[in-house]
Amino acid sequence: MAGLYIHIPFCKSKCAYCNFFSVVSEKQRADFLEALKKEAVARKDYLGGEEVKTVYFGGGTPSVLEPQDILGILETLDKNYNINAAAEITLEANPDTVSKESLQEYKSLGVNRLSIGIQSFFDDDLQYLSRKHDSKHAMQVLDWAKEVGFREVTLDLIYGIPTLTDEKWRNNLEIFFSTGFNHLSAYALTVEEKTALGQRINKGMAASVDEDAVIRQYQILVEMTENQGFEHYEISNFARPGHYSKHNTIYWKGEKYLGLGPSAHSFDGTSRQWNVASVKDYCESYSFEREELTLDNRYNEYVMTSLRTCWGCDMEYIKNNFGEEYVKRFKNLTKKHLLSGKMFQKDEKFVLKDYGMLFADGIAAELFM
Ligand code: SF4
């Protein structure tokens, strides 16, 4: 089983904190759609005929495309890939780019999961992030999603925003629970220097992130989601049982996926490939870079991604794929984290506790070969 990721590189405007590849101009939309279809045909053997269990439209903002555009892409994928009839088909949508009618159309053409970029239900937080929607419209969109019958909906929320108090963060989570949706992706605000927000903070024109508030709000998140019956299955992802993201689980479990579109990444089990991050270059001639992964690279990736999940690092998997020496080294280096209580062992699996997940990147780096 494998996954398909489609990168739609257009956004209505650029959010101040955004570090994803996207452009504001839609001048090249028609050329992009043409190039995307060509790439889909050219790379149809990448997954070796494996059945595709997930299709994910990410971006950018996929909901800037007309439903007919999405339909055209899905038809091309259907002709060229072995897509499971019950595949999870997710579309990322921003509140300012959808209407009840467009949601209805996305649903009728096969999209069965929405990922909605809410970020906060408070307008001052949205302004700090320079998002284009307001909280009133966000609530309206969530009602539409329910009214048109989307059962699988995930919301993105951001904590650690300087304007977000602990109380407001609790309110955001309560509003999310009141929607009845079964999946939440909650991210700590990270500020990259080259983004507009990074530059504003550097010049003293915007408040910077308070790391203590990030930790407090993460703890509030873990506690409140647990009380509501959500499972914390990846550092930033929470779901009621049976509602995990199938597509993202492919990344976290090291399964194959093909990424189409500018800047999209692909993984075939032994190598990684990434497309050129330019709409113009992508439309003119599709080009990419590729890296064959060494055994150590693959081990490092496995450790880094698995430590961020509730499944943890499996010693059986490491023994079978990398060798006994890697297991010995892993066990030696993690003794202190077992003792400090950041990590626990269950049978042959080493798993970070909720609090330990805050240190996942640092712990993984210590374990790298
Ligand atoms: S909508 Fe998403 S991808 Fe587009 S600029 Fe904002 S954060 Fe970036």
Side-chain angles (χ1 to χ4, degrees):
M1 290 278 217
L4 280 173
Y5 172 80
I6 320 296
H7 192 81
I8 308 298
F10 305 114
C11 288
K12 286 281 173 213
S13 63
K14 195 79 185 166
C15 304
Y17 63 100
C18 179
N19 197 29
F20 299 113
F21 173 67
S22 70
V23 295
V24 172
S25 163
E26 285 180 52
K27 260 196 320 211
Q28 285 184 290
R29 178 163 146 168
D31 292 344
F32 160 75
L33 288 168
E34 205 48 49
L36 184 68
K37 287 176 195 166
K38 275 195 201 144
E39 189 195 359
V41 175
R43 299 182 74 192
K44 65 180 181 182
D45 296 327
Y46 185 87
L47 298 172
E50 271 194 43
E51 192 170 41
V52 171
K53 66 175 173 184
T54 65
V55 177
Y56 192 101
F57 289 91
T61 308
S63 53
V64 299
L65 292 187
E66 296 299 325
Q68 284 311 305
D69 299 332
I70 298 289
L71 177 62
I73 299 168
L74 283 173
E75 283 174 348
T76 305
L77 297 179
D78 221 23
K79 276 189 210 138
N80 292 283
Y81 296 86
N82 177 16
I83 300 182
N84 184 296
E88 175 189 270
I89 302 182
T90 306
L91 182 104
E92 286 182 355
N94 281 330
D96 55 314
T97 56
V98 293
S99 61
K100 187 172 178 185
E101 291 68 36
S102 67
L103 290 180
Q104 178 76 66
E105 283 185 68
Y106 292 134
K107 183 159 188 295
S108 68
L109 52 89
V111 173
N112 51 28
R113 186 170 183 270
L114 283 181
S115 170
I116 306 180
I118 299 290
Q119 319 313 352
S120 174
F121 289 103
F122 291 94
D123 288 342
D124 55 341
D125 302 332
L126 295 170
Q127 279 152 17
Y128 178 90
L129 298 171
S130 63
R131 300 287 300 191
K132 283 295 158 235
H133 66 274
D134 61 23
S135 57
K136 190 166 165 231
H137 187 61
M139 292 305 294
Q140 173 72 84
V141 168
L142 299 184
D143 285 344
W144 289 338
K146 268 189 244 169
E147 283 163 28
V148 305
F150 275 103
R151 293 224 178 115
E152 297 297 332
V153 176
T154 177
L155 304 195
D156 279 0
L157 292 177
I158 295 180
Y159 58 95
I161 307 167
T163 47
L164 181 74
T165 60
D166 293 355
E167 196 191 342
K168 282 166 68 192
W169 179 230
R170 283 195 187 88
N171 286 341
N172 270 342
L173 291 168
E174 269 155 17
I175 295 170
F176 163 69
F177 299 136
S178 74
T179 65
F181 294 132
N182 293 312
H183 193 285
L184 171 69
S185 297
Y187 303 98
L189 178 63
T190 47
V191 181
E192 303 286 341
E193 215 166 316
K194 61 177 194 226
T195 59
L197 181 58
Q199 287 168 13
R200 264 189 234 156
I201 291 174
N202 270 346
K203 288 181 190 154
M205 292 160 63
S208 59
V209 174
D210 171 359
E211 291 307 325
D212 291 340
V214 170
I215 293 173
R216 275 198 320 273
Q217 291 177 6
Y218 172 80
Q219 286 165 336
I220 292 169
L221 168 69
V222 166
E223 200 182 296
M224 287 182 70
T225 47
E226 192 181 336
N227 288 342
Q228 289 285 329
F230 280 73
E231 294 174 349
H232 186 191
Y233 73 108
E234 197 268 348
I235 187 165
S236 307
N237 285 278
F238 304 79
R240 291 193 195 279
H243 296 277
Y244 292 7
S245 159
K246 294 192 180 101
H247 184 79
N248 287 341
T249 301
I250 285 179
Y251 301 149
W252 300 323
K253 291 205 163 175
E255 294 170 27
K256 290 182 189 175
Y257 58 89
L258 169 63
L260 302 173
S263 83
H265 284 228
S266 306
F267 176 63
D268 65 2
T270 57
S271 72
R272 291 207 176 275
Q273 197 168 308
W274 52 100
N275 289 354
V276 61
S278 153
V279 179
K280 185 171 171 285
D281 294 350
Y282 177 79
C283 292
E284 279 169 7
S285 82
Y286 148 72
S287 63
F288 58 86
E289 289 183 65
R290 182 186 163 92
E291 182 191 14
E292 275 311 316
L293 297 176
T294 62
L295 195 68
D296 284 353
N297 289 153
R298 282 198 283 134
Y299 169 80
N300 292 346
E301 287 196 2
Y302 173 72
V303 168
M304 192 169 72
T305 47
S306 61
L307 276 183
R308 296 168 68 96
T309 71
C310 65
W311 304 290
C313 269
D314 184 351
M315 294 306 111
E316 273 300 302
Y317 181 90
I318 293 183
K319 190 169 92 188
N320 295 335
N321 288 276
F322 307 106
E324 192 67 58
E325 278 308 303
Y326 287 72
V327 173
K328 269 195 212 148
R329 187 171 176 278
F330 183 99
K331 286 188 172 172
N332 260 333
L333 291 172
T334 48
K335 274 183 198 149
K336 63 178 180 191
H337 300 305
L338 290 170
L339 281 172
S340 74
K342 290 192 184 90
M343 185 181 260
F344 66 96
Q345 183 178 358
K346 187 166 180 262
D347 304 323
E348 282 305 288
K349 299 201 172 75
F350 286 64
V351 187
L352 287 177
K353 292 187 182 168
D354 289 322
Y355 175 68
M357 276 193 194
L358 275 174
F359 306 94
D361 290 349
I363 293 175
E366 289 171 13
L367 299 168
F368 283 170
M369 297 299 277

